[in-house]
Amino acid sequence: MNFELITTDSGSNARAGKITTAHGEIETPIFMPVGTVGSVKAITQEQVRDDVQAQIILGNTYHLYLRPGLEVLSLAGGLHKFNGWDRPILTDSGGYQVFSLAANRKIKEEGVVFQSHIDGSKHLFTPENVMDIQRTIGADIIMAFDECPPYPSEYRYARKSMELTHRWLDRCIQRLGDTQPAYGHEQTLFPIVQGSTYKDLRKASAEYIASRGAAGNAIGGLSVGEPENEMYDMCGLVCDILPKDKPRYLMGVGTPWNILENIALGVDMFDCVMPTRNGRNGMLFTWNGVMNIRNKKWATDFSPIDENSDCFATSGYSRAYLRHLFVAGEILGMTLASIHNLAFYLELVKEARRQILAGTFATWKTGMVQQLKTRL
Ligand SMILES: CC(C)(C)OC(=O)NCc1c[nH]c2nc(N)[nH]c(=O)c12
């Protein structure tokens, strides 16, 4: 994997770059739609490619390991062949999902014992077998096995958790070095910075992760319920330590304004379930702010969802019609809302990139952040 840093904004730490992977290029800043179990919920791969114009999507080790399982994925020749997405894929390591989804999980030095949320079967994830699982899935970018501590966490817990994450990272690196890609294409490991919201721990974790010399680095453990300004403080502190010539990926973030604020701090990659999960619930993000399409006020508004969006898949549908679909519980409502929100998130980061290349991002961002927060 290669990262070309094209330019840094004049008035902020925002950067425009290009990542090259075996399955194609990614222009940064980038938003990565979440396709947890191998599909971006409610929309086809063609809509993700053509209407959303996504350049990379996420899969998840925990979910894919449990269903469809490694035998099916291996026989299919990996996830790209199985789901037909031939562009880049990033898989999260399952660390976060084991802590948030699985039952009766027990963390030990060796790894995490847990029960499947699907059928209660018992499993063990270790840094080693999570690397093997991600090799079998075949994602272009794979995440280290980490513990995302709950928020808030006592200082002692956060420190011990961070130190475990660092030891697990070294075991991931070792295992990856001892194995080969399963399908011939390069797979790149991103380590994950932890340390909760403690400045000294975040600094120590960022320095440790930076010292591993990986091709890209991720920031975990944020957007877990902490106040936004704490997220920004931690992210800024970590970005100032992570190498400038490698992409920085802020996991699980966020709202459109969170994304712009963190781009200004030096983040290049984002993922979040908000545009799809909240979209399926009728929450629409637009250039003029956030709207709940179920609100009665849209019942006879026959204008398009967002005049400023150039997503043709949704510009042909009115707010009134979309509200009707949600009120009637029509599946098409979830599809249109998901396409709209994701297309908006991709337009947002594309415009941010344009502003960075023009050297006007910092001033543009300040006005845009307020506009995006508007409740319509
Ligand atoms: C609560 C939400 C999901 C919004 O954010 C976070 O939890 N943010 C943190 C996060 C998201 N995904 C991760 N994957 C891994 N391996 N580690 C992490 O810390 C995270």
Side-chain angles (χ1 to χ4, degrees):
M1 190 196 95
N2 178 55
F3 177 60
E4 181 193 355
L5 176 55
I6 296 167
T7 183
T8 300
D9 182 45
S10 47
S12 73
N13 289 331
R15 305 114 63 78
K18 185 165 74 173
I19 298 173
T20 305
T21 74
H23 283 92
E25 296 179 347
I26 302 155
E27 293 179 326
T28 63
I30 190 69
F31 180 79
M32 305 182 283
V34 175
T36 305
V37 197
S39 92
V40 179
K41 290 183 177 16
I43 58 182
T44 66
Q45 270 69 307
E46 291 70 23
Q47 290 167 327
V48 176
R49 188 190 59 220
D50 301 336
D51 300 329
V52 171
Q53 301 202 349
Q55 298 178 31
I56 174 171
I57 64 171
L58 252 64
N60 189 279
T61 300
Y62 169 82
H63 292 278
L64 291 164
Y65 162 80
L66 292 175
R67 210 170 30 187
L70 299 180
E71 188 187 0
V72 168
L73 285 167
S74 179
L75 288 172
L79 181 58
H80 287 92
K81 294 265 184 11
F82 188 53
N83 73 355
W85 176 261
D86 62 1
R87 292 182 172 185
I89 295 177
L90 181 151
T91 42
D92 195 356
S93 55
Y96 174 73
Q97 288 67 30
V98 165
F99 299 111
S100 60
L101 263 180
N104 305 333
R105 72 199 172 288
K106 207 173 156 16
I107 309 174
K108 299 182 291 187
E109 183 66 33
E110 185 196 11
V112 185
V113 177
F114 63 93
Q115 282 188 269
S116 159
H117 71 288
I118 298 169
D119 61 11
S121 53
K122 281 192 83 165
H123 302 271
L124 166 69
F125 268 2
T126 66
E128 290 77 13
N129 70 16
V130 164
M131 290 299 106
D132 297 347
I133 294 167
Q134 292 186 85
R135 281 249 191 254
T136 301
I137 295 170
D140 302 276
I141 300 174
I142 64 177
M143 302 313 292
F145 188 58
D146 64 330
E147 185 199 355
C148 170
Y151 178 82
S153 279
E154 290 295 316
Y155 181 86
R156 244 178 62 79
Y157 186 90
R159 182 170 52 75
K160 289 177 71 62
S161 168
M162 176 196 76
E163 288 163 353
L164 177 65
T165 286
H166 292 174
R167 292 195 297 276
W168 282 356
L169 168 61
D170 289 343
R171 287 168 54 188
C172 289
I173 293 170
Q174 180 65 47
R175 182 62 167 206
L176 222 52
D178 293 346
T179 57
Q180 292 301 317
Y183 312 108
H185 61 265
E186 184 192 34
Q187 295 181 279
T188 302
L189 175 73
F190 277 22
I192 303 172
V193 175
Q194 290 291 354
S196 188
T197 51
Y198 298 101
K199 281 191 173 12
D200 62 325
L201 297 184
R202 278 283 167 184
K203 188 170 173 297
S205 192
E207 284 162 355
Y208 191 81
I209 268 55
S211 73
R212 299 299 96 181
N217 297 295
I219 304 168
L222 293 178
S223 181
V224 287
E226 76 284 0
E228 281 186 347
N229 61 347
E230 280 194 38
M231 178 212 293
Y232 301 145
D233 289 350
M234 293 302 113
C235 186
L237 180 155
V238 168
C239 283
D240 291 347
I241 295 170
L242 292 180
K244 294 192 177 346
D245 63 342
K246 304 291 184 220
R248 300 163 183 149
Y249 164 27
L250 179 55
M251 307 184 83
V253 173
T255 63
W257 50 94
N258 289 159
I259 288 175
L260 293 189
E261 295 291 7
N262 285 298
I263 286 174
L265 295 170
V267 176
D268 309 293
M269 301 163 75
F270 300 87
D271 89 274
C272 189
V273 294
M274 202 171 261
T276 37
R277 185 178 296 169
N278 296 46
R280 291 196 301 278
N281 218 355
M283 181 184 202
L284 304 185
F285 296 97
T286 77
W287 282 106
N288 297 312
V290 187
M291 61 198 294
N292 179 342
I293 197 62
R294 294 171 180 274
N295 193 310
K296 204 155 174 34
K297 69 198 290 192
W298 310 118
T300 55
D301 179 336
F302 299 103
S303 63
I305 301 166
D306 185 351
E307 287 87 351
N308 308 323
S309 164
D310 56 24
C311 171
F312 69 86
T314 52
S315 55
Y317 296 91
S318 72
R319 294 165 176 187
Y321 176 64
L322 195 57
R323 177 181 180 278
H324 161 66
L325 293 178
F326 270 90
V327 171
E330 283 294 298
I331 293 170
L332 180 59
M334 294 202 280
T335 294
L336 290 177
S338 298
I339 293 174
H340 165 80
N341 278 352
L342 288 174
F344 171 67
Y345 267 62
L346 269 294
E347 282 171 32
L348 180 75
V349 294
K350 194 171 174 183
E351 178 58 24
R353 189 174 201 268
R354 209 176 284 133
Q355 294 288 335
I356 294 166
L357 291 170
T360 54
F361 175 81
T363 40
W364 173 79
K365 186 261 294 181
T366 306
M368 188 48 74
V369 160
Q370 293 318 317
Q371 183 175 309
L372 292 168
K373 285 180 178 177
T374 310
R375 296 214 64 87
L376 296 173

